[in-house]
Amino acid sequence: MGPKGMMAIGAGLLFFGAAAPFLMILRIWETSFWLSFLAYAASISGLVIGFLGIFLYIRIHRRD
């Protein structure tokens, strides 16, 4: 998996981490502790994976 793949996975996790609480507020999904924890964990891990992908992309394409 390259840096673009890591950025895509990170963006997907961040999107899920934002969409899940929104769907819980609209009462489309039933609110539970585990779903809230999963949304939080997806948001944090998506942020970390996305930043790692960005840093790796910059490191590969950097001009010295």
Side-chain angles (χ1 to χ4, degrees):
M1 170 178 18
K4 289 184 181 179
M6 290 175 72
M7 288 187 279
I9 290 172
L13 287 169
L14 280 172
F15 178 75
F16 175 76
F22 182 70
L23 293 173
M24 286 187 276
I25 289 171
L26 293 178
R27 296 181 186 213
I28 294 173
W29 285 352
E30 184 179 341
T31 304
S32 69
F33 171 76
W34 296 111
L35 185 58
S36 298
F37 181 75
L38 181 65
Y40 176 74
S43 181
I44 296 298
S45 61
L47 186 68
V48 170
I49 291 171
F51 271 120
L52 287 175
I54 290 170
F55 294 148
L56 186 60
Y57 183 83
I58 290 171
R59 185 175 179 196
I60 291 171
H61 292 89
R62 181 175 40 174
R63 297 180 193 204
D64 289 329

